[in-house]
Amino acid sequence: MFADQRRNIILEILTEKGTVTVNELTSLLNISAATIRSDLNQMEKQGMLIRTHGGAMVKGEESDAVDKKYEIREKKFREEKHQIGYAAFKHVQEGQCILLDASTTCFELAKFIRDSKMRLTVVTSGIATAAMLKENPYLTVIIVGGIVRNSSNSVEGLLGEELLRKINIDVLFTSAYAFNTRDGLSDFSLYEVELKRIMVSVANRVVALLDHSKINKSSIATFARTDQIDHLITDQEVSEEIRDYLDSKDIEIEVAN
């Protein structure tokens, strides 16, 4: 990988996460810590980021918003995510045990679940999702254990793996930073990806919730191959090539409106 390619990827990761450590970048990019440090130093000289002890953070006004990262993401394509959440809600049935990741799109789905009177067990890695759903007396809410970071709404790590393997999950609703037919569902955060891989492996059915900005994009770490996805809900028509590929894999695609 050329230096410019590496640094573009680092900048994309930093934009998404707000802060990043050298160790995280070393794991994600499979590059030595010395090379990563050199890249970060050069990027700081070019005004692209701010170096911190052990890593880097976004520069300027964006750095003030690190702790509001989830709130920022929640506002992006909110109407589209709302439509997708409504379409996804139609796939929830009385008495099910469903699993929701910590994505902002799943949070939109959770709003419809909160206002329903269905008796459900909802397992989630989303802190905001769990806090909202616990107010509904018809719901049994289980939050997956793990690490909580100040720039994220998600529980991370594999501390919740044992819990997930003990529960019969009917449907996993999940989103991603990117989706393409080669990689499937992928994300930047290695910590979240580890947990999402377990989520996919324990669910009887996987429903991907993806607004149009995520389609035909790529990210660093895959957590669900295309053959592990059963249903995909988006807000705009996909290309004929993608639709034909999904049809060939018996993956249902639904356009919310």
Side-chain angles (χ1 to χ4, degrees):
M1 188 185 300
F2 295 112
D4 286 346
Q5 291 176 302
R6 281 198 315 271
R7 292 168 189 176
N8 284 336
I9 293 173
I10 290 171
L11 193 59
E12 288 179 1
I13 295 171
L14 198 55
T15 301
E16 170 66 12
K17 292 172 65 64
T19 62
V20 71
T21 67
V22 171
N23 288 340
E24 287 174 328
L25 292 173
T26 298
S27 297
L28 289 169
L29 302 180
N30 195 26
I31 294 170
S32 72
T35 300
I36 294 297
R37 291 191 189 96
S38 175
D39 284 339
L40 295 180
N41 291 337
Q42 288 299 317
M43 292 171 74
E44 182 179 45
K45 289 179 181 178
Q46 295 172 18
M48 300 169 70
L49 51 77
I50 298 172
R51 282 287 267 127
T52 62
H53 180 70
M57 66 186 296
V58 288
K59 186 180 179 183
E61 293 180 1
E62 292 181 357
S63 64
D64 296 329
V66 170
D67 289 341
K68 298 178 181 177
K69 175 175 170 286
Y70 177 79
E71 289 83 351
I72 292 170
R73 288 192 294 114
E74 197 268 335
K75 292 175 183 176
K76 292 177 65 177
F77 301 108
R78 177 179 284 174
E79 181 57 34
E80 291 86 345
K81 293 173 182 176
H82 182 79
Q83 293 172 356
I84 293 169
Y86 179 68
F89 179 65
K90 298 176 183 178
H91 294 268
V92 179
Q93 299 178 15
E94 177 87 25
Q96 283 185 326
C97 177
I98 65 171
L99 178 55
L100 305 180
D101 72 10
S103 65
T104 54
T105 311
C106 280
F107 187 74
E108 291 297 320
L109 164 59
K111 291 177 182 178
F112 293 103
I113 295 173
R114 173 197 61 190
D115 297 334
S116 76
K117 291 186 177 181
M118 281 194 289
R119 295 191 178 277
L120 301 166
T121 297
V122 182
V123 185
T124 183
S125 59
I127 301 163
T129 301
M132 177 176 65
L133 292 180
K134 71 181 178 60
E135 303 301 328
N136 184 327
Y138 295 95
L139 303 176
T140 299
V141 181
I142 302 171
I143 189 164
V144 179
I147 300 167
V148 179
R149 299 180 186 274
N150 66 355
S151 62
S152 174
N153 169 60
S154 175
V155 172
E156 300 175 353
L158 298 181
L159 295 177
E161 179 177 359
E162 185 177 355
L163 169 67
L164 287 171
R165 295 200 182 281
K166 288 181 177 179
I167 300 174
N168 293 321
I169 304 294
D170 293 303
V171 188
L172 163 64
F173 294 94
T174 184
S175 190
Y177 185 85
F179 168 80
N180 64 59
T181 55
R182 183 189 70 249
D183 303 323
L185 299 172
S186 59
D187 223 314
F188 277 130
S189 172
L190 194 61
Y191 300 105
E192 288 191 50
V193 162
E194 287 177 336
L195 181 59
K196 283 186 174 185
R197 284 174 181 158
I198 302 299
M199 290 179 168
V200 170
S201 71
V202 301
N204 291 322
R205 181 173 171 81
V206 176
V207 179
L209 311 181
L210 304 167
D211 69 68
H212 64 275
S213 70
K214 305 172 187 296
I215 302 293
N216 214 23
K217 301 289 178 61
S218 62
S219 192
I220 290 172
T222 294
F223 65 88
R225 305 183 309 273
T226 49
D227 62 4
Q228 293 177 298
I229 303 168
D230 297 288
H231 195 92
L232 189 154
I233 304 176
T234 186
D235 61 290
Q236 292 183 10
E237 288 289 348
V238 299
S239 68
E240 186 175 349
E241 180 183 1
I242 292 177
R243 181 174 283 277
D244 288 345
Y245 180 86
L246 295 178
D247 286 343
S248 72
K249 299 295 183 181
D250 294 324
I251 301 170
E252 302 172 67
I253 183 165
E254 177 180 351
V255 179
N257 52 50

